Amino acid sequence: MKDVIFDEQKQTEKSSYNPDVLSCLANLSNDEVFTPPEVANAMLDMLPQEIFSNRNAKFLDPACKSGVFLREIAKRLLVGLEKEIPDLQERVTHIFKKQLFAIAITELTSLLSRRSVYCSKDASGKYSVTEFTNPEGNIFYKPAKHLWINGKCLHCGASQKEYGEEQRQGLETHAYQFIHNAIPGEIENMKFDVIIGNPPYQLSTGGSKAQSVPIYDKFVFQAIKLKPRYLTMIIPARWYAGGMGLDKFRKEMLSKNRLKILVDFPNAEECFPGIQLRGGCCYFLWKKDYSGKCHYTNIIDNSKNISYRNLSDYEIFIRYNQSTNIIEKIKDKTSENLCDLVSSVSPFGFGTSERGDTNKFDGCYSLYTSQGIFYIEKNKIKTNISLADSYKVMITRPISGNMEIPPFKVIALIKTLRPREVCTHTYLTIGSFKKEINTHNLEKYLNTRFLRFLLVQSLSGLDISKEKFRFVPLQDFTSSSDIDWSKTIPEIDTQLYKKYELSEEEIKFIESMIRPME
């Protein structure tokens, strides 16, 4: 039975390709991404392996989809407990009844998981690897309910407009048990050694811009409340520097120093083949009684860069190991950054859809939009009137291209705006000068690889914002600056590298990450 149930099917020269069904499921494009077996095993490899020889160790998957985590844990326990429990059926019964537990995210995934783990969707049936007294076994599912307050769910932040009972009639409500105060009573007070999983990632807010609120952080927080010895989950990586409502989560993950291992994939397809996930993904090992440096691995195109990092050094997480030394060198030279010169979103109070007249008229101001230039009256400018009458630089707020595979462009458009020129919410402005030459110098600075590389370190989502310039040092944009702004962009880059004493290796890394502006 062991060979049939748990061992991978052996290939012979005459056999046809017979893929693991869970590998096939992992390739389905879905907001609730299935975990490939090889990724599940990489996460299990982070745990102390002696835990799989402990007959009292308990494991929980609180967001069970395919049962892959329980299945792979079972394989390891079957080997680890062989000496202590020699009889195979007795060992199987002990493992599945006493050690492995899950909460499925939907009724369908509960059936799939039981079929994957117990070899039967009915755990009490005769085809189950071990007979339970109930059809669920230890893989639980019961529909939960959202708790609506002012149109939002108190537990997960879902929009009632999108996920209310009327709107979701006959469909999944996505009110996940684990984060909706509906943990099954059979495991509610159980002490788990390991909580492991791949939680759902986000839910729509119901806003006009189709924004989504992350919910994976809520699964992590709920898991921590259960006080396991170890917690390992695979989640999107946007929490490093951004994400709606993730400030508290980021602070918890970085400041407590309980992350012992963090493995990062800027390109999520290297972890989930066929799945595109903006900002990449990561998996981690959190240890309850650990406080120290994190063993961090960044993986790009199957190439690993490894370091031991103190995650509390910065208020955000810097993804690329090579970047930290560059940032430290810059901090040694100056504490001032470009953030103070960058506008907030909608610098003049115009939405993205704002349009004016197509023809100029006396006293008009030029309005730059994504559809071209229009003309408006001064009294329509809602904020920053003085900025409207100054020289400044305009940049596009949406990031240019993907941020998964370098080299990156980062900023799509950089343009000097003269007095009486303003822009919509599509853009940010930087600087406010009386002299046009200062603005041209700032425009050149924004075009450098040096600046755009430092901007990348804070980016995690789709847009550039004021705080993303936190690592970009402020420069003197006058003619008396230590930078000769009359030079070409590559020559200015060279001056900046020299100013901050960057090594040849660091320069090479910057230029491999950032391509020249077109």
Side-chain angles (χ1 to χ4, degrees), residues 153-208:
C153 177
L154 177 66
H155 299 298
C156 69
S159 163
Q160 188 173 9
K161 181 180 177 182
E162 296 285 317
Y163 298 99
E165 286 73 12
E166 292 183 7
Q167 292 81 354
R168 304 298 296 179
Q169 190 172 8
L171 302 173
E172 294 291 344
T173 63
H174 300 288
Y176 303 107
Q177 283 183 263
F178 191 64
I179 60 173
H180 282 77
N181 285 349
I183 295 176
E186 295 89 338
I187 61 174
E188 186 174 11
N189 298 312
M190 197 174 287
K191 297 296 182 183
F192 291 99
D193 295 87
V194 177
I195 296 180
I196 184 170
N198 178 7
Y201 295 161
Q202 61 189 27
L203 291 173
S204 171
T205 62
S208 59

Side-chain angles (χ1 to χ4, degrees), residues 482-501:
D482 56 352
I483 301 295
D484 184 352
W485 299 110
S486 67
K487 300 293 186 180
T488 64
I489 303 300
E491 289 172 324
I492 292 171
D493 261 323
T494 299
Q495 293 179 73
L496 291 164
Y497 298 152
K498 183 176 181 180
K499 177 177 179 176
Y500 296 103
E501 300 178 359

Side-chain angles (χ1 to χ4, degrees), residues 68-333:
V68 64
F69 290 109
L70 297 192
R71 192 191 72 172
E72 299 307 315
I73 292 168
K75 289 180 182 179
R76 297 183 184 221
L77 289 171
L78 277 166
V79 175
L81 296 177
E82 189 170 7
K83 289 183 179 179
E84 188 170 354
I85 311 176
D87 181 79
L88 176 58
Q89 188 56 57
E90 181 183 349
R91 192 159 73 250
V92 168
T93 299
H94 175 84
I95 290 168
F96 285 106
K97 288 189 174 182
K98 302 293 185 182
Q99 296 190 267
L100 303 181
F101 303 85
I103 303 172
I105 61 171
T106 66
E107 183 177 10
L108 178 61
T109 61
S110 72
L111 298 173
L112 174 61
S113 297
R114 291 182 199 121
R115 178 65 180 85
S116 168
V117 176
Y118 304 139
C119 295
S120 172
K121 65 179 183 181
D122 181 356
S124 63
K126 65 179 182 179
Y127 297 112
S128 177
V129 292
T130 186
E131 289 189 26
F132 286 81
T133 57
N134 60 81
E136 291 183 317
N138 287 335
I139 300 175
F140 304 98
Y141 173 74
K142 183 178 180 181
K145 291 185 177 181
H146 293 290
L147 178 57
W148 304 117
I149 297 180
N150 297 324
K152 299 290 182 184
C153 177
L154 177 66
H155 299 298
C156 69
S159 163
Q160 188 173 9
K161 181 180 177 182
E162 296 285 317
Y163 298 99
E165 286 73 12
E166 292 183 7
Q167 292 81 354
R168 304 298 296 179
Q169 190 172 8
L171 302 173
E172 294 291 344
T173 63
H174 300 288
Y176 303 107
Q177 283 183 263
F178 191 64
I179 60 173
H180 282 77
N181 285 349
I183 295 176
E186 295 89 338
I187 61 174
E188 186 174 11
N189 298 312
M190 197 174 287
K191 297 296 182 183
F192 291 99
D193 295 87
V194 177
I195 296 180
I196 184 170
N198 178 7
Y201 295 161
Q202 61 189 27
L203 291 173
S204 171
T205 62
S208 59
K209 297 179 182 177
Q211 292 176 315
S212 297
V213 59
I215 59 171
Y216 58 87
D217 56 314
K218 296 170 178 60
F219 278 82
V220 175
F221 276 137
Q222 181 61 40
I224 290 173
K225 286 181 182 178
L226 296 184
K227 300 179 180 179
R229 289 172 59 199
Y230 299 97
L231 168 62
T232 175
M233 286 190 173
I234 183 163
I235 59 177
R238 288 181 62 182
W239 67 269
Y240 292 171
M244 291 178 62
L246 288 174
D247 291 346
K248 180 182 177 182
F249 179 71
R250 180 165 48 253
K251 184 176 181 181
E252 171 74 22
M253 296 293 274
L254 299 182
S255 65
K256 299 297 179 64
N257 290 322
R258 289 181 180 174
L259 287 187
K260 190 172 183 181
I261 301 173
L262 177 61
V263 181
D264 171 60
F265 298 85
N267 181 5
E269 287 198 73
E270 291 199 60
C271 192
F272 297 116
I275 298 295
Q276 293 185 347
L277 188 62
R278 189 83 184 203
C281 65
C282 65
Y283 55 78
F284 62 84
L285 177 66
W286 176 98
K287 185 179 179 184
K288 183 175 69 173
D289 58 358
Y290 182 75
S291 180
K293 290 186 176 182
C294 176
H295 182 279
Y296 173 66
T297 304
N298 175 258
I299 301 176
I300 300 177
D301 196 21
N302 291 318
S303 178
K304 297 181 179 180
N305 188 283
I306 300 171
S307 71
Y308 286 89
R309 302 260 296 270
N310 187 343
L311 300 187
S312 59
D313 282 346
Y314 302 97
E315 61 183 8
I316 65 169
F317 180 69
I318 298 171
R319 167 170 256 162
Y320 301 102
N321 286 322
Q322 302 94 319
S323 302
T324 56
N325 196 48
I326 295 172
I327 289 171
E328 285 301 314
K329 285 184 175 181
I330 292 169
K331 284 176 62 179
D332 287 343
K333 295 285 186 180

Side-chain angles (χ1 to χ4, degrees), residues 28-34 65 163 199-203 212 277:
L28 297 177
S29 179
N30 193 297
D31 287 341
E32 294 157 352
V33 181
F34 285 77
K65 304 184 190 78
Y163 298 99
Y201 295 161
Q202 61 189 27
L203 291 173
S212 297
L277 188 62

Side-chain angles (χ1 to χ4, degrees), residues 37-38 55 62 70 74 80 83 140 200 205 225 260 263 268 285 351 357 363 366 396 403 416-418 442 456 488 495:
E38 57 269 25
R55 65 179 297 159
L70 297 192
K83 289 183 179 179
F140 304 98
T205 62
K225 286 181 182 178
K260 190 172 183 181
V263 181
L285 177 66
D357 294 337
S366 299
T396 42
M403 293 300 292
T416 290
L417 294 188
R418 302 171 63 84
L442 170 58
V456 164
T488 64
Q495 293 179 73

